Amino acid sequence: MKNILITGGAGFIGSHVVRNFVNKYPQYNIVNLDLLTYAGNLENLTDIDAKSNYTFVKGDICDDKLVNRLFEKYRFAGVIHLAAESHVDRSITDPMSFIRTNIVGTVTLLNAAKNFWKDNFEAHRFYHISTDEVYGSLGSEGFFYENTPYGPHSPYSASKASSDHLVRAYYHTYGLPVVISNCSNNYGPNQFPEKLLPLIINNIKNNKPLPVYGKGENVRDWLYVEDHAYAIDLIFHKGKNGETYNIGGENEWTNIKLVNKLCEIMDGKLHRVSGTSAQLITYVKDRAGHDLRYAINCKKLQTELGWQPTVTFDKGLEKTVNWYLKNTHWLQNVLSGDYEKYYQNQYQKR
Ligand code: NAD
Ligand code: TYD
């Protein structure tokens, strides 16, 4: 039985990756290392947490003693590294926690992998999960390719860019077997309601203002989270060492068009007169350094590894909205005192 370390497995994307690996690969023992920050939630994994090939460890990826102890105990065959501080707005108010987790945490894992695997690199793999935001911002045309020069603008994207560079440096300098993917915006069940889609769905439900930054003209490329998890599975097993793979939905939306679409869907679900929810749209002060457009070219992943998204946007939005409307208990638990404080602070000052 191979032990695989997944970091950040209690978060949004991580929980979908952990579920897929635990269910699909009984020959792996999945060790999920997660600090359970505000974004980590074990409720995301209640359906698999009793499985015999799953182990949860609460801990910090920056804690090198703990990380080394886990490598010693489990002799991991592979690492899939998702743990991160992930919200751009939080990185603007508190950059240091992003530097710590995203950079120092990644190097702590790289060092452990290098030391424990040094006699047999070929049998191992370190897979680093990253974002398209490292490439910076596009104008109205063009796409991000795997060889697009990095140009991050937010403390979040700069910290992810830095971690990507360090992962590549360990490949070139020490020969560590690494692979990296950079994905566009994910949406789906279990996403913390500080990110656009769940925030808008929750606010529509509660008749609260729908904050749209600036003119709402920024463009994001949206991918259903399970299609990202599927790409991660494919890249972990079939990707080539030292390579980078872009992952995207080929599904670009301006924020305002997307918010209007969610309003329409929610009017239907909540039996409101068409146009009711859209009246809640409120333009607020723009995000500092707000990237205009992200768009991914993911032909390499499609042609070399045969990946294609399986969930259309209409279907994915339907599944997502239904999930948030059904999982009121999950939502209630995350909308705790801390969330309330974050929300007040973030949206009052605008
Ligand atoms: P998330 O914020 O929902 O989850 C992050 C998880 O990491 C949480 O469970 C949290 O508890 C854990 N964590 C944070 N700091 C930690 C630490 N020091 N030690 C151990 N665990 C820690 O994030 P997400 O949206 O699921 O993103 C996961 C990864 O995918 C991140 O690396 C992110 O950069 C990347 N990514 C996200 C998106 C997106 O649209 N959400 C797109 C592309 C790439
Ligand atoms: P977000 O979900 O934070 O993802 P990212 O910044 O990583 O792309 O935001 C998606 C887009 O929605 C981004 O252009 C910022 C915008 N946005 C709003 O207009 N209002 C909001 O309240 C939030 C959270 C985001």
Side-chain angles (χ1 to χ4, degrees), residues 50 58 73 80 95 104 133 205 219 223 239 248 250 265 277 284:
K58 181 176 188 300
K73 179 170 176 188
I80 304 177
V104 178
E133 303 191 25
K205 188 176 138 203
V219 175
L223 179 69
E250 298 180 325
I265 297 173
S277 300
V284 298

Side-chain angles (χ1 to χ4, degrees), residues 173-202:
T173 308
Y174 307 109
L176 192 74
V178 308
V179 65
I180 299 179
S181 60
N182 297 81
C183 190
S184 65
N185 285 61
N186 285 215
Y187 72 98
N190 308 95
Q191 188 168 29
F192 195 80
E194 64 186 358
K195 302 274 172 81
L196 182 69
L197 264 89
L199 186 139
I200 294 296
I201 293 169
N202 186 46

Side-chain angles (χ1 to χ4, degrees), residues 46-60:
T46 42
D47 56 323
I48 56 113
D49 66 5
K51 296 243 173 162
S52 59
N53 65 334
Y54 173 69
T55 309
F56 175 72
V57 178
K58 181 176 188 300
D60 190 341

Side-chain angles (χ1 to χ4, degrees), residues 11-13 34-35 37 40 60-61 82 86 101 130 156 160 186:
F12 167 46
I13 301 169
D34 195 300
L35 186 57
T37 66
D60 190 341
I61 55 165
L82 296 110
S86 69
T101 292
S130 193
Y156 164 65
K160 291 296 289 188
N186 285 215

